[in-house]
Amino acid sequence: CANQWQNIRVNIAWLSMLGLCVLIEVLLLLPTMKGLDWSTTCGLNLFGEVTGLPSTRGVCTDTDLQLGFGCVSCVSGIFMGWLVVVLGALVDIYFVFYFASAVVGSFMGHQRELNDLKNTSLPVDLREHQGREAKLF
């Protein structure tokens, strides 16, 4: 029963960290690219009328200019912006995990009375069912 409670507690911790990441992505990352797409910014209409957005004129509207410098730089700039947002969404889970580990580790160290510890050779007893620190897990 104790092992099952431990598993539930770990799952709740991971789900809360993942939920925080989704919240960060929705509130901070996605709004940075609001209105920046190939159709609106560059005039490149890849999907036709499927998106429901009105067609706009831009540097990529004319088919003979689609390989020109203006169109290529516009399209690649928008692509790189979305790539940064996607990579940021993949990387933020690690930062949230490290922050959560630091906070939880700080509380665990405080509970074990490791505050202001100058001696790094503190013995840690991990013997199964006997050691003081082993009973914490």
Side-chain angles (χ1 to χ4, degrees), residues 55-77:
S55 61
T56 57
R57 295 209 38 88
V59 292
C60 298
T61 304
D62 299 327
T63 45
D64 57 337
L65 296 177
Q66 285 183 349
L67 293 178
F69 178 76
C71 182
V72 171
S73 63
C74 184
V75 169
S76 60

Side-chain angles (χ1 to χ4, degrees), residues 2-119:
N3 193 20
Q4 186 177 6
W5 172 245
Q6 180 77 11
N7 289 338
I8 290 172
R9 199 169 73 178
V10 168
N11 287 337
I12 289 172
W14 273 109
L15 286 176
S16 62
M17 284 189 286
L18 198 59
L20 180 63
C21 289
V22 169
L23 189 69
I24 288 171
E25 292 160 12
V26 168
L27 294 178
L28 294 178
L29 288 179
L30 288 180
T32 61
M33 295 298 289
K34 183 179 181 181
L36 289 177
D37 57 37
W38 290 315
S39 176
T40 307
T41 308
C42 305
L44 184 65
N45 199 359
L46 294 176
F47 302 110
E49 298 299 321
V50 175
T51 60
L53 295 173
S55 61
T56 57
R57 295 209 38 88
V59 292
C60 298
T61 304
D62 299 327
T63 45
D64 57 337
L65 296 177
Q66 285 183 349
L67 293 178
F69 178 76
C71 182
V72 171
S73 63
C74 184
V75 169
S76 60
I78 299 295
F79 175 75
M80 288 299 158
W82 278 106
L83 185 65
V84 167
V85 168
V86 168
L87 291 178
L90 294 176
V91 171
D92 68 348
I93 184 68
Y94 298 109
F95 292 113
V96 170
F97 173 74
Y98 291 139
F99 181 75
S101 297
V103 169
V104 171
S106 175
F107 284 119
M108 288 176 68
H110 183 70
Q111 184 181 16
R112 290 176 54 203
E113 298 175 1
L114 299 177
N115 305 352
D116 301 325
L117 187 64
K118 304 286 189 246
N119 186 0

